[in-house]
């Protein structure tokens, strides 16, 4: 396996004329481009693993202003990490179908401007979480941001098939931040939720990477579906899915939950495992994406995680 070694445009190079497919970019186009750097869909998913944990930690409805400050700080922190990622990956983003419409490949935003934007978001998020929530939550947010940028983006992504297995740790931090925002300390309960997201990340990401494996192959990013046949990818997805479901059920006794969460976790887990096994079965003996249908599992994984964490929030409200 060889890796892309082409120098990306430097942050000191002048920004080309800002245009869109319809002509010169408007102020609205540029603002939308900066918002796009934060990857709003990723932020939505991260918040879905933060806010429900706050309800769980409070065993009811947490202080609403605390929720507001946590959401604002978390949004800015996640947006900052995504923007840094866009700056570093702008060379490969320009070559991939899935990412070539992002702001930097389209030259709607310059690398220097994006770097400044990411840094401002990082500083603001730290200040908001430190003073509006608590120092521990701010420190965890800084750690998640740094892990995503330095460990995943810069160290692992272009070097190993295990990139998203370990790089995905950054996406597990919101569960810890939601808990510490309410309690001010860590415990085993949020660690279990951290691990649920950890084991959920490979099936979720590998399904997407299988769909876009040609993109990753063209830029020499060794995602698992690039270097292994679809059957092996399916096998590993099934393995991680079983561990994920088992971990989700472990939260019941450790988190002292009522009947609602384990019932929801069991139903959601069974449905997820059925879908994972079906995809793995379809992947045996073929590499045709139209047959494998990996995006079915990808979209299902988003629904699974969202509903599981909603169940975490609801259980204390109806079973206390």
């Amino acid at each position: 396996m060889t890796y892309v070694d082409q120098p990306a445009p430097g942050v000191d190079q002048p920004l080309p004329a800002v245009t869109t497919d319809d002509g010169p970019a408007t102020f609205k186009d540029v603002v939308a481009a900066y918002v796009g750097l934060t990857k709003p869909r990723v932020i939505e998913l991260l918040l879905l693993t933060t806010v429900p944990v706050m309800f769980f930690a409070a065993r009811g409805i947490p202080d609403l202003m605390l929720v507001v400050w946590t959401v604002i700080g978390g949004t800015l922190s996640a947006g900052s990490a995504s923007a840094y990622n866009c700056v570093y990956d702008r060379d490969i983003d320009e070559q991939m179908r899935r990412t070539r419409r992002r702001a930097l490949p389209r030259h709607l935003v310059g690398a220097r401007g994006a770097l400044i934007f990411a840094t401002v978001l990082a500083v603001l998020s730290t200040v908001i979480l430190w003073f509006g929530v608590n120092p521990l939550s701010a420190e965890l947010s800084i750690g998640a941001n740094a892990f995503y940028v330095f460990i995943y983006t810069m160290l692992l992504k272009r070097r190993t098939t295990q990139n998203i297995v370990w790089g995905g740790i950054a996406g597990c931090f919101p569960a810890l931040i939601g808990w510490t925002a309410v309690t001010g300390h860590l415990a085993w309960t949020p660690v279990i939720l951290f691990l649920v997201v950890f084991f959920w990340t490979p099936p979720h990401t590998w399904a997407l990477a299988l769909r876009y494996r040609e993109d990753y192959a063209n830029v020499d990013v060794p995602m698992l579906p690039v270097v292994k046949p679809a059957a092996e990818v399916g096998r590993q997805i099934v393995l991680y899915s079983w561990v994920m479901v088992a971990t989700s059920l472990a939260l019941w006794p450790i988190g002292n939950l009522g009947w609602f969460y384990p019932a929801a976790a069991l139903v959601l887990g069974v449905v997820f495992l059925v879908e994972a096994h079906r995809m793995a079965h379809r992947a045996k003996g073929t590499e045709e994406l139209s047959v494998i249908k990996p995006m079915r599992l990808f979209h299902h994984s988003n629904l699974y995680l969202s509903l599981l964490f909603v169940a975490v929030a609801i259980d204390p409200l109806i079973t206390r």
Side-chain angles (χ1 to χ4, degrees), residues 45 48-49 52 192-204 237-238 240-251 260-276 295-313:
L45 198 59
L48 276 170
T49 58
I192 296 299
L193 291 169
F194 178 102
L195 291 173
V196 170
V197 181
F198 177 80
F199 292 119
W200 167 88
T201 301
H204 169 77
I237 282 176
V238 166
Y240 274 93
S241 298
W242 273 98
V243 178
M244 175 194 71
V245 173
T247 304
S248 73
L249 293 173
L251 182 66
F260 181 78
Y261 172 79
L266 183 61
V267 172
L268 291 170
V270 168
V271 173
F272 191 97
L273 287 172
V274 168
E275 187 62 37
M295 293 303 288
R296 284 184 53 174
L297 182 64
F298 173 79
H299 292 304
H300 189 83
S301 67
N302 286 331
L303 185 62
Y304 167 84
L305 195 69
S306 300
L307 293 179
L308 185 76
F309 274 76
V310 167
V312 166

